Amino acid sequence: GHDADEVRRVFEHNLKPDGKLAAVMGAHSFFASDRKSRDFRAWLEANGGASAELPSGSFKGGDVPTGVSTRLVTLHKR
């Protein structure tokens, strides 16, 4: 859930009007039923954000391989 917190913080406090944000996040916040995840999904929708599932294995390989599911989140601050 820390990635959801960071996306919200950057959008609300660091992104200038008409700025665009793109972030790679773990998929947890998009399927979990805990309050924090539900609140993040509602917040993302309310702010016109979008997310897209990245291909499985996007971050496998290299020195630190991981099989974690990820999503690309985009927001435009109006």
Side-chain angles (χ1 to χ4, degrees), residues 14-69:
N14 297 94
L15 200 62
K16 294 179 181 180
D18 205 35
K20 295 179 182 175
L21 182 149
V24 175
M25 293 180 56
H28 175 84
S29 295
F30 296 92
F31 66 80
S33 61
D34 60 275
R35 182 178 179 172
K36 187 176 197 177
S37 296
R38 290 190 321 263
D39 288 351
F40 176 77
R41 291 190 300 265
W43 173 85
L44 185 65
E45 183 177 337
N47 283 285
S51 75
E53 189 174 348
L54 293 175
S56 178
S58 290
F59 293 93
K60 284 189 176 181
D63 294 338
V64 185
T66 180
V68 69
S69 296

